[in-house]
Amino acid sequence: MLLLTALADEPRHGYGLIQEIDAISQGRVRMRTGTLYGALDRLLQQGLIRVEREEVVDGRARKVYALAEAGRGVLAAETERLRAVVAEAERRLAARRVPVTRPKGALA
Amino acid sequence: MTQQDSSRLLRWALRFHPAAYRAEHEAELSAIYVQATQDAGPLGRLREAFDVAGHGLRRRTGLGSDRMAGQVLAQAAPLAVAVAAGGSVANLLWLFAPGNKILPSSSLPGVLVLVNQGLMPLLWLAALAAVWTGRWTVARALVVPATLLRMVDLPLLLAAHPAGTGALHPSGVLHLAVPLLTGAVVLAAPRDLLGSPGARHGAIVGTTALAVLLWAAQLFNVYQPVPLGGPRTTQALWAGVLAVALLLSGRDRLLAAGLAVAVFPGVLQSTVPLLYPLSPVGAVALLLVVLSSAVSLLRAHRRRVRAAPPSAA
């Protein structure tokens, strides 16, 4: 989910993904190289992401990954599911926040 | 750690990858590693290199998160910790069961056995708490000493009871194999699939309860032997659980497959003593495991055949 989110706005290379995930999770998730590569292998195999292009920067070859159509669909569905959960949580919290108050001495 | 040491470390880590994979991805993996470790200290570089090596080992053994085996391991890892936590508590209680001949004496090795048996549940329960809260780095760090302590158990018992060495020999291999298997399941599971346990909380609670129930049945059997099938009938329950999990497992039922993997060390620990020498209960347990494994393998083979694209002929 974090990886798909990191690719939602623009294609990114490996280290760019590590930095983006760190930012999205507010420093809670620090993905290591091998773990990132394992996840990329899986998402590529599932067809959720694709290799956008390969480039050479400072003499080092790197791949740039992008969200595939299937990945965009999965991310949209998961976002919708989370939005529904958040809306329900907010509704229930708001319902609890407003207690029913009766004027003193009043009996319905 | 110099830049040269760091490069050497990376080259060592990359050697774990299959040659073809390394040829294709080495440049990119190196680039990510170099960028990820540019501000890291020696420990950070070492951890990053271990992570790269772990990825290579998973690729080599087919346990990557893109493979079904890796996905089953990811389901099994939290459950294996739950089973081990239940088992370590049961082990501690077992020492005080009536008629237990390996209750440690007051010698130094005996005291060390007691300390070891007391530490193990603490470590496993802490690992279980870490799994519950999704702190897998902590959980895995705790599993390593917990596994080692469990392996040290045997030499300590042998030192505490030199006279009883003969009685302990048959279970010696199990004392090493069972913790090693549990530790391997937890450490080999692909890290990117071990996120927040969220939906797995129910499975973790269920497996812990199941493990406690199975160990409690065995312990209860010491006090009040079950009349049906002899005093060791309850040990065969583990084989029954494995058989059910295997029969329920499948491509879309990874949790059941994960449970089968998680309880396997427990099955070994409980069932092997029933086979040496072979008892009727042991034969039934063995039959259960063999039949359910055969059905599961046959189903997997059929799925593979169905999924294979038709040949050009």
Side-chain angles (χ1 to χ4, degrees), chain B residues 46-145:
Chain B
L46 199 65
R47 284 167 71 173
E48 203 73 36
F50 269 119
D51 196 58
V52 172
H55 174 249
L57 269 178
R58 282 188 201 100
R59 292 293 322 175
R60 205 177 267 279
T61 52
L63 295 174
S65 64
D66 57 334
R67 306 289 287 271
M68 196 170 155
Q71 290 161 16
V72 170
L73 269 189
Q75 295 287 341
L79 310 185
V81 175
V83 171
S88 61
V89 173
N91 257 353
L92 182 63
L93 297 175
W94 203 263
L95 284 180
F96 304 101
N100 193 343
K101 288 176 188 157
I102 55 169
L103 186 69
S105 59
S106 55
S107 63
L108 179 66
V111 173
L112 287 176
V113 169
L114 266 181
V115 171
N116 192 23
Q117 296 280 354
L119 271 176
M120 267 192 292
L122 288 179
L123 281 173
W124 280 112
L125 289 172
L128 187 60
V131 167
W132 184 266
T133 52
R135 291 175 182 172
W136 276 99
T137 307
V138 177
R140 288 175 144 181
L142 286 166
V143 163
V144 174

Side-chain angles (χ1 to χ4, degrees), chain A residues 8-96:
Chain A
D9 56 345
E10 60 179 83
R12 287 192 161 84
H13 58 84
Y15 185 59
L17 283 169
I18 291 178
Q19 287 177 308
E20 205 59 23
I21 288 167
D22 190 57
I24 295 168
S25 68
Q26 294 170 336
R28 278 181 294 111
V29 179
R30 166 74 178 79
M31 223 173 206
R32 298 195 183 282
T33 310
T35 307
L36 170 79
Y37 231 80
L40 290 174
D41 285 341
R42 175 169 50 87
L43 295 174
L44 280 168
Q45 189 245 344
Q46 291 172 338
L48 300 181
I49 62 170
R50 61 188 162 77
V51 177
E52 169 95 348
R53 61 179 184 277
E54 295 188 32
E55 57 188 22
V56 178
V57 177
D58 297 333
R60 290 194 187 107
R62 67 186 192 188
K63 288 187 180 122
V64 176
Y65 299 90
L67 207 54
E69 268 316 301
R72 200 163 287 281
V74 167
L75 184 60
E78 188 61 12
T79 308
E80 197 48 53
R81 189 187 68 78
L82 289 174
R83 188 178 289 130
V85 173
V86 170
E88 185 60 20
E90 281 176 345
R91 189 186 67 76
R92 290 181 185 219
L93 282 170
R96 174 137 181 126

Side-chain angles (χ1 to χ4, degrees), chain A residues 32, chain B residues 1 9 33 37 40-50:
Chain A
R32 298 195 183 282
Chain B
M1 186 181 282
L9 200 60
Y33 174 87
T37 57
L43 194 64
R45 287 176 191 193
L46 199 65
R47 284 167 71 173
E48 203 73 36
F50 269 119

